[in-house]
Amino acid sequence: MTDAVLGGSSDRWMCPSDRTMSLRARPPAGWAAQPDRQRKGEELTDEEKEIINRVIARAEKMEEMEQERIG
């Protein structure tokens, strides 16, 4: 590797910068990191189940149409 990649140091292993360490220390963020919004033990409503079933049916229909198209 070049000195530019290694930061000009002759040492092969370098300590992470303060910025890297602070980013690692932050709690996760974003839509996937909100455990308090998860349903724990709650059943899906009939409406939610119907929506899921329609999505699955639509995906199966699209797959069938794709198989007919290609072969």
Side-chain angles (χ1 to χ4, degrees):
M1 291 188 164
T2 66
D3 285 343
V5 173
L6 293 174
S9 173
S10 61
D11 186 16
R12 182 174 173 176
W13 305 105
M14 295 174 43
C15 292
S17 69
D18 289 341
R19 181 177 186 278
T20 303
M21 295 299 287
S22 68
L23 289 173
R24 287 183 190 169
R26 286 188 186 165
W31 66 270
Q34 299 176 1
D36 58 321
R37 297 192 67 193
Q38 292 179 356
R39 296 179 181 196
K40 295 184 179 172
E42 285 185 40
E43 291 290 322
L44 295 175
T45 66
D46 289 338
E47 181 182 0
E48 291 169 328
K49 290 177 185 176
E50 183 60 34
I51 291 169
I52 292 168
N53 288 333
R54 278 186 282 181
V55 170
I56 292 170
R58 187 173 65 222
E60 289 171 350
K61 176 99 172 135
M62 290 177 69
E63 180 64 26
E64 182 181 313
M65 290 170 50
E66 182 67 9
Q67 290 302 317
E68 288 177 15
R69 185 186 71 82
I70 60 175

